[in-house]
């Protein structure tokens, strides 16, 4: 009898655990193989409940034309709309823009992450069931510290971006739509392109155009002359092999041998970890409306030892002591 009671107790406990398993849907703006998404997922796994039942959906907005994004979001919506989610995570601007308004004010808690635009721009704030993590690339801070490594006075910097929604959001938030600005002795010019050939030409001509260095922003939606998407790895490898000036980055996935020198960069893993912690609080009973949207962590210095040596750049002790060094 005692064995029977113990067996029944264990069975009941297992059933209870199964029913308490949170069902989480994560909707990604980009594709599964993209380094940013992989790092986000690593961060989520660090802080989401270990027993969570997680489903991933990918809008593939980097590789597909902009005019197809809404249709792709519609297909994801049809796939998720009737699932009894305990929580949904929206990753980056495209997922938030196209799916956030459909979830706003509903019974499902929503956490957005990697949002470059103000959530008000997408109608996501205020919303009683939503909160999240805002991404604010450290453009100005990074420019101030890195430009001195190349030219300590009157530095001219070119920033290159593609022309997708994320780039538009970054430019809007960081530069208020301006393509030229001055940061003390640093002259900054920002250029956006949709065509890979024009993006490459701007980099090739950087030195002759008077720039001391180039910041590689986002380059993941560039297309060739036929309109076909050019893989981001190909773009970055070409930039590394052909740049006439030192190149730096704003995001950690672009740092390393055969990529850029480095910089004061943001990490998707950090943002995923923060978003996962917020989601866990909500699943434990904290109302989303009581959690103020957070700005992503301030970032960190990250440099490639190989690329520093290649360009003959020596880091000041104060920066090197704080930096993560990679090959």
């Amino acid at each position: 009898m005692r064995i029977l009671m113990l067996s029944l107790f264990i069975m009941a406990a297992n059933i209870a655990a199964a029913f308490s398993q949170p069902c989480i849907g994560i909707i990604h703006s980009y594709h599964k193989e993209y380094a940013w998404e992989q790092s986000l997922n690593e961060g989520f796994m660090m802080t989401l409940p270990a027993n969570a039942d997680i489903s991933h959906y990918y809008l593939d907005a980097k590789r597909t034309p902009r005019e197809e994004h809404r249709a792709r979001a519609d297909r994801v919506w049809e796939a998720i709309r009737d699932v009894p989610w305990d929580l949904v995570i929206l990753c980056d601007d495209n997922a938030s823009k196209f799916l956030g308004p459909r979830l706003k004010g509903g019974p499902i808690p929503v956490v957005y992450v990697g949002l470059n635009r103000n959530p008000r721009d997408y109608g996501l704030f205020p919303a009683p069931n939503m909160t999240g993590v805002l991404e604010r690339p450290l453009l100005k801070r990074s420019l101030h510290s890195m430009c001195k490594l190349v030219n300590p006075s009157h530095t001219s910097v070119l920033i290159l971006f593609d022309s997708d929604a994320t780039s538009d959001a970054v430019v809007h938030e960081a530069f208020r739509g301006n393509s030229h600005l001055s940061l003390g002795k640093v002259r900054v010019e920002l250029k956006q392109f949709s065509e890979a050939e024009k993006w490459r030409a701007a980099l090739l001509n950087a030195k002759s155009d008077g720039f001391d260095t180039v910041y590689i922003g986002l380059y993941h939606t560039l297309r060739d002359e036929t309109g076909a998407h050019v893989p981001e790895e190909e773009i970055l490898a070409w930039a590394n092999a052909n740049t006439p000036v030192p190149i730096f980055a704003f995001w950690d996935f672009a740092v390393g041998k055969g990529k850029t020198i480095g910089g004061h960069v943001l990490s998707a893993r950090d943002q995923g970890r923060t978003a996962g912690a917020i989601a866990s609080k909500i699943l434990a009973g904290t109302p989303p409306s009581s959690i103020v949207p957070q700005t992503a962590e301030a970032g960190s210095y990250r440099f490639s030892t190989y690329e520093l040596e290649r360009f003959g750049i020596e880091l000041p002790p104060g920066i090197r002591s704080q930096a993560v060094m990679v090959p």
Side-chain angles (χ1 to χ4, degrees):
M1 184 67 178
R2 184 176 299 174
I3 295 176
L4 176 61
M5 292 298 293
L6 180 59
S7 298
L8 290 173
F9 176 79
I10 293 173
M11 184 182 300
N14 289 336
I15 292 173
F19 278 108
S20 65
Q21 184 180 40
C23 183
I24 300 174
I26 302 180
I27 303 170
H28 302 264
S29 288
Y30 314 128
H31 50 287
K32 184 177 181 180
E33 298 79 13
Y34 183 24
W36 177 263
E37 299 290 19
Q38 293 176 1
S39 292
L40 267 182
N41 286 331
E42 289 176 9
F44 292 146
M45 294 305 100
M46 295 170 69
T47 49
L48 286 174
N51 68 330
D53 180 10
I54 300 174
S55 298
H56 295 268
Y57 302 85
Y58 294 88
L59 297 181
D60 201 7
K62 292 291 187 187
R63 301 185 299 188
T64 56
R66 186 179 292 202
E67 56 268 22
E68 296 180 12
H69 293 173
R70 184 173 294 277
R72 297 184 70 87
D74 290 342
R75 289 197 290 271
V76 169
W77 175 246
E78 290 301 317
I80 71 167
R81 63 186 303 176
D82 296 324
V83 178
W85 303 110
D86 292 299
L87 185 135
V88 167
I89 298 176
L90 300 175
C91 302
D92 300 292
D93 284 71
N94 282 280
S96 299
K97 174 184 178 181
F98 290 115
L99 295 165
R102 309 186 203 199
L103 294 162
K104 179 183 177 180
I108 302 171
V110 176
V111 175
Y112 44 78
V113 59
L115 204 58
N116 286 284
R117 290 293 291 253
N118 189 312
R120 293 181 187 273
D121 294 343
Y122 300 138
L124 307 186
F125 186 87
N129 65 321
M130 292 184 170
T131 188
V133 183
L134 308 178
E135 180 181 335
R136 294 295 178 261
L138 312 164
L139 274 65
K140 294 181 180 178
R141 178 173 179 177
S142 187
L143 287 168
H144 270 299
S145 56
M146 294 304 100
C147 291
K148 296 177 182 177
L149 302 180
V150 178
N151 184 354
S153 61
H154 302 290
T155 308
S156 293
V157 182
L158 173 63
I159 302 177
L160 290 177
F161 274 92
D162 56 20
S163 59
D164 83 329
T166 301
S167 294
D168 292 345
V170 171
V171 172
H172 174 81
E173 290 296 324
F175 290 95
R176 302 302 177 194
N178 297 315
S179 59
H180 296 76
L181 70 156
S182 295
L183 302 173
K185 295 181 178 180
V186 180
R187 178 179 70 88
V188 181
E189 183 172 345
L190 185 146
K191 295 182 180 181
Q192 285 185 266
F193 300 98
S194 58
E195 299 174 21
E197 183 179 356
K198 293 180 179 179
W199 192 96
R200 288 171 173 147
L203 179 59
L204 277 178
N205 296 328
K207 188 171 184 178
S208 60
D209 287 342
F211 295 104
D212 301 292
T213 187
V214 171
Y215 263 84
I216 304 296
L218 296 172
Y219 45 89
H220 304 78
T221 64
L222 294 170
R223 299 186 174 277
D224 64 19
E225 62 278 4
T226 70
H229 174 260
V230 182
E232 56 264 25
E233 298 88 353
E234 181 181 322
I235 292 290
L236 191 55
W238 183 94
N240 175 274
N242 293 277
T243 181
V245 296
I247 50 176
F248 293 90
F250 297 118
W251 285 273
D252 63 352
F253 55 71
V255 180
K257 183 178 180 180
K259 300 179 180 180
T260 71
I261 296 168
H264 198 269
V265 297
L266 286 179
S267 164
R269 186 182 294 105
D270 291 341
Q271 293 188 48
R273 185 173 63 241
T274 301
I278 292 173
S280 293
K281 287 182 181 179
I282 293 171
L283 291 169
T286 303
S289 58
S290 69
I291 302 174
V292 177
Q294 301 178 27
T295 301
E297 289 188 16
S300 60
Y301 289 113
R302 187 179 184 90
F303 294 96
S304 163
T305 302
Y306 179 89
E307 297 298 337
L308 283 170
E309 292 178 355
R310 174 190 170 199
F311 285 98
I313 295 175
E314 184 174 349
L315 294 178
I319 291 180
R320 191 175 187 95
S321 65
Q322 304 174 53
V324 174
M325 304 302 297
V326 299

